């Protein structure tokens, strides 16, 4: 297993970590890689990496789905972040063939921050086929 750090610079942002993950598995054989985020107010997701406005649209849509002014009970005041992280999920799995991530042409792996800025960790496991 490998770990790397992501420094997020805004409260909500999507950070493309595709290159970090691809660099870790380069040279591995066939298998799959599991990317896991060990946080409760951040997650990981796969989506389009060509047009940055897709990321902005995702942030906007998540804000509409989970408004910050809902009557949350959690005293820490960041339940919107917990809920959005839950919607994204904590892990993604990507097939690896001959050391190359098999992402689709338009896909990227995004660290999804909802309560930044913070220093975050990403755990990456390689499962040999
Ligand atoms: Zn909290």
């Amino acid at each position: 297993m490998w770990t790397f750090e992501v420094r997020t610079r805004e409260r909500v942002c999507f950070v493309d970590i595709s290159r970090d993950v691809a660099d870790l598995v380069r040279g591995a054989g066939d298998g799959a890689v599991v990317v896991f985020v060990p946080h409760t107010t951040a997650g990981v997701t796969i989506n389009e990496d060509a047009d940055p406005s897709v990321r902005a649209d995702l942030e906007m849509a998540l804000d509409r789905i989970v408004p910050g002014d809902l009557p949350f009970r959690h005293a820490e005041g960041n339940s919107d972040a917990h809920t959005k992280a839950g919607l994204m999920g904590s892990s993604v799995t990507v097939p690896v063939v001959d050391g190359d991530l098999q992402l689709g042409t338009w896909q990227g792996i995004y660290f999804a921050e909802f309560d930044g800025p913070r220093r975050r960790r990403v755990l990456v496991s390689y499962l040999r086929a």
Side-chain angles (χ1 to χ4, degrees), residues 1-128:
M1 187 188 79
W2 302 279
T3 64
F4 63 90
E5 185 179 283
V6 175
R7 281 176 177 242
T8 61
R9 307 203 179 281
E10 298 171 72
R11 180 161 195 265
V12 176
C13 58
F14 288 86
V15 180
D16 191 341
I17 58 170
S18 308
R19 180 68 58 102
D20 304 89
V21 176
D23 286 348
L24 290 173
V25 299
R26 187 156 296 122
D30 294 352
V33 68
V34 178
V35 181
F36 178 76
V37 168
H39 302 290
T40 61
T41 55
V44 62
T45 190
I46 292 175
N47 216 304
E48 178 172 329
D49 72 348
D51 179 359
S53 64
V54 171
R55 274 173 273 173
D57 286 349
L58 205 48
E59 288 181 28
M60 179 275 294
L62 286 168
D63 277 341
R64 296 280 179 96
I65 295 166
V66 188
D69 61 354
L70 290 176
F72 294 115
R73 295 187 194 181
H74 179 48
E76 201 179 17
N78 60 354
S79 279
D80 60 327
H82 288 296
T83 306
K84 290 173 182 174
L87 289 172
M88 293 294 98
S90 296
S91 67
V92 295
T93 304
V94 182
V96 176
V97 174
D98 199 22
D100 285 327
L101 289 181
Q102 299 298 295
L103 288 169
T105 303
W106 307 111
Q107 286 184 318
I109 306 170
Y110 287 99
F111 182 91
E113 174 65 82
F114 298 110
D115 198 19
R118 294 189 195 216
R119 293 167 69 147
R120 300 291 205 171
R121 287 193 315 138
V122 177
L123 282 57
V124 180
S125 297
Y126 173 71
L127 312 173
R128 190 185 311 274

